[in-house]
Amino acid sequence: MYTFIKGQRVKIADITNSTTIEVSLNISFSVSKVIDFSCFGVDQSNKLSDDRYFIFYNQKQSPDNALE
């Protein structure tokens, strides 16, 4: 398991050669909080070339189902 720290950016290829990964987010607070987790599918230039690859609460998967 790989543990991320706040603000960390990492290329998936640098931590695994698998084509399928699962990311879990476990956070505990003493008071109620709202958490928004999002994922960006970027191209070789590290750019979001298509808004459909911005995965968040209202858009739960990419057009090719590579991200969900």
Side-chain angles (χ1 to χ4, degrees):
M1 180 171 73
Y2 190 88
T3 303
F4 294 95
I5 59 172
K6 181 180 178 181
Q8 182 176 355
R9 297 175 69 183
V10 64
K11 292 180 182 179
I12 299 297
D14 289 348
I15 58 174
T16 184
N17 59 3
S18 177
T19 58
T20 303
I21 64 165
E22 182 176 323
V23 177
S24 298
L25 181 63
N26 296 309
I27 301 174
S28 61
F29 295 102
S30 58
V31 295
S32 180
K33 299 272 185 187
V34 174
I35 303 295
D36 183 20
F37 183 81
S38 57
C39 177
F40 297 89
V42 297
D43 61 18
Q44 292 180 357
S45 301
N46 287 325
K47 302 288 182 192
L48 181 67
S49 58
D50 188 327
D51 286 345
R52 297 175 302 164
Y53 288 87
F54 173 36
I55 310 307
F56 64 109
Y57 71 93
N58 198 34
Q59 182 167 281
K60 297 180 178 166
Q61 63 190 32
S62 63
D64 60 358
N65 296 321
L67 301 169
E68 79 179 295

